[in-house]
Amino acid sequence: MYIKRRRGWELPESAATPEVVYLNRREFSKGLAAGAVLLAGAGIFAGTGKAEAEEADPSAKLYPVKRNETYKLDRALTPADLVTSYNNYYEFGSSKDVSGAAQALPIRPWTVTIDGMVEKPITIGIDDLLARMPLEERLYRHRCVEAWSMTVPWSGFAMKALVDFAKPLSSAKYVQMTSFENPDVAEGQQANWYPWPYVEGLTMAEATTDLAFLVTGAYGKPAPKQNGAPLRLATPWKYGFKSAKGIVRFNFTDKQPYNFWQAIQASEYGFWANVNPAVPHPRWSQAYERVLGSDERVPTLLFNGYGEYVAALYKDLQNERLYA
């Protein structure tokens, strides 16, 4: 007798995305095939010729990339127009409607500095970095600390590939990521009560786990600016605020980074930020999440359903505030 064992991220059919959302996605896909424009200012190069797209972003010629089939989803992909128009990006404001403002960010030239405890510090142009990395597509859940969620086909490369490229010293215990700082175009950075620039960090074990992913594209195209172009982090087992956008520096260090949201409110936002439905945020429950594009609430899963990949990383950290 065949017995199907459901993986941790697989929910029952009753908890999957509603049919109307799925049908909206099908209509979106038809629009892509017809060359339709998705959204004014969305930053995805639909509706433009190949030459125009490559002039706007030289990496456009790299996409689409082959999908890594290791990572499956239990629900339909979130329509691209929602993912590109419902964004947390405090550099451009505290509302979700920042897609227009984000278009002011110049993403070429863009350099990435790799320094700290490495064999040889380097500053490299983003396109030169992409040429050295094994690009692929992964279908990932994204769970915001605000208790909403989405599913996205990210393109990019495993963070482990960047770590291998950096050649860190054995004394390095963490990777600190720093985002751009340009208040002339990023109006949110003119708010001097925030500790700019945005800083995040991972342990070396987290950075080299299979799941940690550096995003350069989405939906088969270069990532839109409002989604973190040209380089952002995706750690799908953690709350979304860990996913730094517009990264310009990777610093390898033996000191635990003190991240942006810790600096603002350490009692609510800790270093680890692993998804855990049993540990509420001080101001709301984390037991359920709202699927973006619907009013449906589904149960939140420990580690966002990715426990089989990452739970072992935390087995000796019972006394840590793992989930805040």
Side-chain angles (χ1 to χ4, degrees), residues 88 142 154 177 179 198 200 213 227-228 232-236 238-247:
N88 282 326
H142 178 94
W154 297 122
M177 289 151 282
S179 297
Y198 201 99
E200 259 304 342
F213 196 62
N227 291 105
R232 68 166 286 172
L233 177 67
T235 49
K238 294 179 176 287
Y239 291 120
F241 70 84
K242 291 294 289 188
S243 298
K245 302 180 180 74
I247 299 172

Side-chain angles (χ1 to χ4, degrees), residues 5-79:
R5 296 189 181 276
R6 194 179 297 277
R7 292 183 174 87
W9 64 82
E10 294 180 331
L11 299 181
E13 185 176 356
S14 61
T17 300
E19 182 180 13
V20 63
V21 177
Y22 176 71
L23 292 177
N24 285 344
R25 175 177 172 261
R26 291 189 65 185
E27 291 305 311
F28 160 73
S29 299
K30 291 177 182 176
L32 273 183
V37 177
L38 300 180
L39 278 179
I44 296 179
F45 302 110
T48 63
K50 183 177 179 181
E52 295 169 278
E54 291 182 12
E55 183 178 358
D57 184 335
S59 72
K61 62 180 179 290
L62 302 177
Y63 305 95
V65 294
K66 185 177 180 180
R67 178 175 297 171
N68 184 333
E69 298 291 351
T70 302
Y71 308 100
K72 309 291 185 181
L73 292 176
D74 63 291
R75 59 187 73 161
L77 292 175
T78 303

Side-chain angles (χ1 to χ4, degrees), residues 13-215:
E13 185 176 356
S14 61
T17 300
E19 182 180 13
V20 63
V21 177
Y22 176 71
L23 292 177
N24 285 344
R25 175 177 172 261
R26 291 189 65 185
E27 291 305 311
F28 160 73
S29 299
K30 291 177 182 176
L32 273 183
V37 177
L38 300 180
L39 278 179
I44 296 179
F45 302 110
T48 63
K50 183 177 179 181
E52 295 169 278
E54 291 182 12
E55 183 178 358
D57 184 335
S59 72
K61 62 180 179 290
L62 302 177
Y63 305 95
V65 294
K66 185 177 180 180
R67 178 175 297 171
N68 184 333
E69 298 291 351
T70 302
Y71 308 100
K72 309 291 185 181
L73 292 176
D74 63 291
R75 59 187 73 161
L77 292 175
T78 303
D81 60 339
L82 294 179
V83 172
T84 59
S85 62
Y86 191 85
N87 310 104
N88 282 326
Y89 207 161
Y90 274 68
E91 283 85 343
F92 297 99
S94 58
S95 76
K96 297 291 191 293
D97 185 18
V98 296
S99 59
Q103 303 316 306
L105 179 66
I107 59 172
R108 294 297 188 283
W110 189 280
T111 58
V112 177
T113 296
I114 300 171
D115 62 5
M117 294 177 169
V118 296
E119 288 186 7
K120 185 177 181 181
I122 185 174
T123 296
I124 186 171
I126 184 64
D127 294 301
D128 292 331
L129 179 63
L130 292 181
R132 296 168 182 246
M133 295 293 113
L135 298 183
E136 60 182 51
E137 181 182 74
R138 296 187 182 185
L139 308 185
Y140 271 178
R141 289 174 176 243
H142 178 94
R143 173 57 158 81
C144 183
V145 73
E146 298 169 343
W148 56 267
S149 63
M150 61 184 181
T151 52
V152 187
W154 297 122
S155 299
F157 52 94
M159 190 171 180
K160 185 180 185 302
L162 182 128
V163 173
D164 290 343
F165 174 72
K167 295 183 172 60
L169 305 181
S170 60
S171 51
K173 294 180 173 61
Y174 301 92
V175 187
Q176 177 175 300
M177 289 151 282
T178 304
S179 297
F180 77 91
E181 187 170 12
N182 187 348
D184 291 338
V185 299
E187 294 181 359
Q189 291 185 331
Q190 296 171 17
N192 58 16
W193 54 87
Y194 286 124
W196 304 113
Y198 201 99
V199 171
E200 259 304 342
L202 298 173
T203 66
M204 290 295 294
E206 290 176 322
T208 55
T209 192
D210 288 341
L211 274 182
F213 196 62
L214 289 168
V215 170

Side-chain angles (χ1 to χ4, degrees), residues 6-11 71-72 74-75 141 143 211 236-238 274-277 289 299-311:
R6 194 179 297 277
R7 292 183 174 87
W9 64 82
E10 294 180 331
L11 299 181
Y71 308 100
K72 309 291 185 181
D74 63 291
R75 59 187 73 161
R141 289 174 176 243
R143 173 57 158 81
L211 274 182
W237 73 99
K238 294 179 176 287
N274 293 321
V275 176
N276 187 348
E289 62 200 60
T300 295
L301 301 178
L302 181 61
F303 297 115
N304 203 22
Y306 293 98
E308 66 180 276
Y309 296 103
V310 297

